[in-house]
Amino acid sequence: MRANSPEAVGPPYLEQKPASALTIVLMNIWVPLLMVLETAIGIVLIPLGLLVWRLVTRWPLARIMRHFVWIYGRVWMWIVSPFVRFELVGADREWAKRPIMYVANHLSFVDIFCLSAMPVFDVIICLRAWPFKMVWFAPFMRLAEYLDVESLPWDEIVAKSKSVFRADRSMLVFPQGHRSRDGRLGRFYSGAFRLALQSGVPIVPICIAGTDRVSPPGRRWLEPSRVRIECLEPIDPKQFEGDLGHIELRRTVKQRMEACLARLCA
């Protein structure tokens, strides 16, 4: 469902002053050049890195790859830091010690990179099918055991999510299912909320503002921005009982995110 549907509500996110043409040109030379360099170096060093991490940490391969993806995102944040200012509020390192269902609004493909600002890395990210068709990223996403929720049957998603939570890992879902086209919070799908209820894990809403200025859907160049990420208090799914509990849980999470996003953009 597109974000300009009748259910899209709230103000456009994070109004900011326009950047100068020179700054935009410099950003669009600097960032792509260093991203290509970072990706190429990463691909070359991955085999050696996997071996060293395995010997030092004894972690499973998938966990090591999720750590590498998190490091890749942190390097990306350093690359864009001359042009993008990041603010992170409410993140808690203790969350890494228990399974959590993270749900985030989705404005831009750079949201994934920006979420590396979070102090946790062992998170299974649920995505649509198209990112798994990017040949330079797909092998690493599959090694990290990220889920293609658009292609997998629901029963398999449920089984995999229960396995993830039993192993004390977490999941991240974008409940809108796609990037917002106008910066507003659109309809939420129920999948993440049903999985949280069935597994009994808390939901932590993550509100992102400003990435639609960096790279909105359909635009091919980058712009400087101020990116704000705020994690809300965990919501215990046990208080949402009955056959329609997932709908009430979904409504509660969305209302809290709408209130937070309105505050972030005020």
Side-chain angles (χ1 to χ4, degrees):
M1 187 175 182
R2 297 173 69 86
N4 57 359
S5 70
E7 293 192 36
V9 296
Y13 297 161
L14 207 58
E15 295 290 341
Q16 299 180 50
K17 294 180 180 178
S20 69
L22 177 60
T23 303
I24 293 174
V25 170
L26 288 174
M27 182 178 187
N28 284 273
I29 294 173
W30 170 268
V31 174
L33 181 64
L34 290 192
M35 276 192 72
V36 169
L37 186 62
E38 177 194 12
T39 303
I41 292 174
I43 291 173
V44 170
L45 294 181
I46 278 280
L48 178 62
L50 288 173
L51 178 61
V52 172
W53 252 249
R54 175 66 177 163
L55 291 173
V56 172
T57 65
R58 302 293 182 183
W59 290 349
L61 179 62
R63 189 181 189 200
I64 295 173
M65 185 52 63
R66 289 191 288 274
H67 196 203
F68 284 2
V69 171
W70 181 80
I71 293 171
Y72 182 90
R74 299 290 292 215
V75 173
W76 179 87
M77 291 177 63
W78 174 80
I79 290 173
V80 303
S81 61
F83 309 96
V84 179
R85 183 158 57 91
F86 294 95
E87 298 175 36
L88 174 66
V89 176
D92 186 345
R93 291 183 184 277
E94 292 298 313
W95 292 344
K97 300 177 182 177
R98 55 176 173 160
I100 284 178
M101 173 66 81
Y102 297 98
V103 296
N105 63 309
H106 201 6
L107 299 171
S108 166
F109 84 96
V110 303
D111 289 341
I112 291 288
F113 302 136
C114 294
L115 286 173
S116 295
M118 296 280 290
V120 295
F121 71 87
D122 201 10
V123 179
I124 308 298
I125 302 176
C126 300
L127 299 163
R128 296 182 66 183
W130 68 266
F132 290 90
K133 297 175 182 175
M134 302 169 71
V135 295
W136 54 94
F137 284 145
F140 308 111
M141 294 165 63
R142 296 193 185 284
L143 280 174
E145 297 182 350
Y146 292 169
L147 294 185
D148 175 359
V149 293
E150 197 172 28
S151 303
L152 292 174
W154 174 249
D155 289 345
E156 189 170 344
I157 293 173
V158 172
K160 286 182 178 294
S161 66
K162 289 183 177 179
S163 174
V164 166
F165 294 135
R166 276 198 303 269
D168 288 334
R169 298 195 299 271
S170 299
M171 298 182 71
L172 169 68
V173 175
F174 297 102
Q176 291 171 265
H178 54 72
R179 295 166 290 172
S180 172
R181 296 284 174 177
D182 61 4
R184 301 174 191 272
L185 200 60
R187 189 187 78 168
F188 277 12
Y189 291 93
S190 294
F193 309 98
R194 292 171 61 188
L195 292 175
L197 275 170
Q198 292 176 11
S199 302
V201 299
I203 287 183
V204 171
I206 302 175
C207 299
I208 306 171
T211 52
D212 54 338
R213 173 77 178 275
V214 178
S215 179
R219 201 185 69 194
R220 295 184 179 278
W221 67 90
L222 306 169
E223 283 195 22
S225 180
R226 177 166 53 102
V227 172
R228 306 179 71 181
I229 302 172
E230 181 163 336
C231 301
L232 306 184
E233 287 296 315
I235 299 173
D236 188 347
K238 293 179 182 176
Q239 57 188 300
F240 300 90
E241 299 178 342
D243 294 340
L244 300 181
H246 65 285
I247 296 177
E248 185 58 32
L249 176 58
R250 183 186 69 191
R251 183 182 298 118
T252 299
V253 171
K254 187 176 181 184
Q255 287 173 347
R256 294 187 186 184
M257 293 180 69
E258 286 172 347
C260 177
L261 288 166
R263 177 168 46 77
L264 288 178
C265 302

